[in-house]
Amino acid sequence: MIRTAGLTEATEETFEAQVLESALPVLVQFTADWCGPCRQLAPVLGEIAREEAARIKVVQLDVDRAPQIAVRYGVLATPTLMVFRAGEPVKSLVGARPKRGLLRELADVLDPAGR
């Protein structure tokens, strides 16, 4: 697993509590150790996790260690970023992107009026 400061690892055992039951929206990075773009994206997600901690929680889920969850949500490529709100996926993005672009794509999730 790509370890990044500010990011929590979700597993098969913790996914429900960390993601589905979270009071905040949760951005899940479906990742893998062998994924180059995932490694590039991890520090960006770490920064977002620290800067936006009051508005969104960011976790990583290794698709090789939790394949059932990846299959359940139709994840076919890494990195896939999926936003969950109230236990339901509300947004899905595939591929690495720069921080500014990612924040722009997450604006509706980060805006409390978007609830």
Side-chain angles (χ1 to χ4, degrees), residues 12-60:
E12 295 266 356
E13 296 78 25
T14 64
F15 187 81
E16 186 172 336
Q18 287 185 316
V19 177
L20 303 181
E21 296 174 358
S22 175
L24 288 175
V26 182
L27 174 61
V28 178
Q29 179 194 21
F30 290 86
T31 186
D33 288 336
W34 45 263
C35 173
C38 298
R39 284 192 293 277
Q40 292 175 319
L41 186 57
V44 170
L45 294 176
E47 289 179 26
I48 291 172
R50 286 187 297 279
E51 294 169 8
E52 301 292 344
R55 299 194 294 172
I56 194 165
K57 180 177 172 181
V58 184
V59 301
Q60 293 177 306

Side-chain angles (χ1 to χ4, degrees), residues 47 69 77 82 105:
E47 289 179 26
I69 294 173
M82 196 170 290
E105 291 182 82

Side-chain angles (χ1 to χ4, degrees), residues 28-32 34-38 41 61-64 69-71 73-82 92-97:
V28 178
Q29 179 194 21
F30 290 86
T31 186
W34 45 263
C35 173
C38 298
L41 186 57
L61 181 108
D62 189 308
V63 297
D64 292 329
I69 294 173
V71 168
Y73 292 104
V75 174
L76 301 175
T78 56
T80 291
L81 301 172
M82 196 170 290
S92 182
L93 311 164
V94 178
R97 48 207 8 100

Side-chain angles (χ1 to χ4, degrees), residues 83-106:
V83 178
F84 289 80
R85 180 183 281 145
E88 297 295 325
V90 295
K91 183 180 286 270
S92 182
L93 311 164
V94 178
R97 48 207 8 100
K99 180 180 171 186
R100 183 177 298 172
L102 182 54
L103 286 172
R104 194 170 29 251
E105 291 182 82
L106 294 174

